Amino acid sequence: MGIPIKFDNNDVTGYQRWNYKWWYALAEFVDNSTHNYYANREALDSKYEESNAKLNVRITVDRDGDEEIIQIYDNAMGMDEEDLADAFDFGRRKANPGRSAYGLGMKTAAIWMGDLFEIETSKLGHGKKFMVVFDVQKVARDGLRNLDSTESECDEDLHFTKITIRKLTKRLRGST
């Protein structure tokens, strides 16, 4: 299975030069998580009530040897294959945008942070988990327009999205 990458600008590395600050870039992920929650609030609140849970968004920084790794996790609705394909349509004006009018935030923030990001996700009620890897340099160098993804069966009650950013091109410093 493959997830198409759709964008007009062939210089995907240009997003690494955007004038982001760490807090703005990280806010893109929180915005996506909370937007996903509010768009699916009724179903999620019902599911949260069963386990005495609530929306949880976690951002962590870890190390793998000398490499810093940023991970963003939420237990909102999650994504299915169609949602993932939509997530990699750069800059398309959305029909019902909410806070996500052009669908750029997650991708531009992840690309700004590092050269590689992985998305692992499962949508409530679908019973499938997906994993996709976006290698910025490979997309830029090879003109890659289709991402390999893996699909596996899982419990239909599983709902989450985990984004892992590796090969950081910006360093977290000081009070950031």
Side-chain angles (χ1 to χ4, degrees):
M1 178 181 78
I3 302 294
I5 305 170
K6 298 178 185 174
F7 58 95
D8 293 332
N9 180 356
N10 287 330
D11 183 18
V12 70
T13 60
Y15 296 120
Q16 292 180 327
R17 295 185 297 274
W18 276 26
N19 190 24
Y20 263 128
K21 301 284 187 221
W22 272 104
W23 45 92
Y24 297 138
L26 292 171
E28 296 285 8
F29 299 103
V30 175
D31 189 53
N32 281 2
S33 297
T34 56
H35 176 79
N36 183 275
Y37 166 74
Y38 285 115
N40 300 283
R41 188 175 193 167
E42 190 174 310
L44 287 168
D45 282 348
S46 175
K47 190 51 70 180
Y48 293 152
E49 192 174 306
E50 290 175 14
S51 59
N52 197 29
K54 58 185 177 183
L55 176 65
N56 182 5
V57 180
R58 281 191 322 260
I59 300 172
T60 58
V61 179
D62 209 350
R63 289 200 175 278
D64 184 8
D66 289 338
E67 182 185 19
E68 285 181 323
I69 298 169
I70 296 176
Q71 193 168 84
I72 301 95
Y73 168 89
D74 73 53
N75 67 340
M77 185 60 106
M79 293 184 275
D80 60 16
E81 185 177 19
E82 185 178 321
D83 297 326
L84 269 174
D86 185 56
F88 284 96
D89 191 347
F90 285 69
R92 178 183 54 80
R93 184 138 178 89
K94 302 208 175 191
N96 298 307
R99 289 178 267 163
S100 181
Y102 293 98
L104 288 170
M106 178 270 297
K107 295 170 294 294
T108 57
I111 292 168
W112 180 81
M113 291 178 188
D115 275 335
L116 186 93
F117 66 95
E118 307 160 349
I119 300 175
E120 183 180 2
T121 187
S122 178
K123 188 171 186 173
L124 178 63
H126 287 254
K128 294 185 180 186
K129 183 167 48 171
F130 297 94
M131 170 73 137
V132 65
V133 177
F134 190 103
D135 183 325
V136 174
Q137 296 306 317
K138 191 172 184 176
V139 169
R141 181 185 62 241
D142 302 342
L144 185 69
R145 292 298 179 267
N146 201 47
L147 300 174
D148 291 333
S149 67
T150 58
E151 177 183 328
S152 58
E153 299 294 319
C154 67
D155 190 302
E156 286 190 3
D157 288 335
L158 189 62
H159 55 100
F160 74 97
T161 299
K162 180 172 70 172
I163 300 170
T164 305
I165 304 165
R166 301 175 185 279
K167 298 182 180 179
L168 298 187
T169 56
K170 316 285 183 295
R171 289 284 194 202
L172 285 165
R173 286 187 167 63
S175 62
T176 302

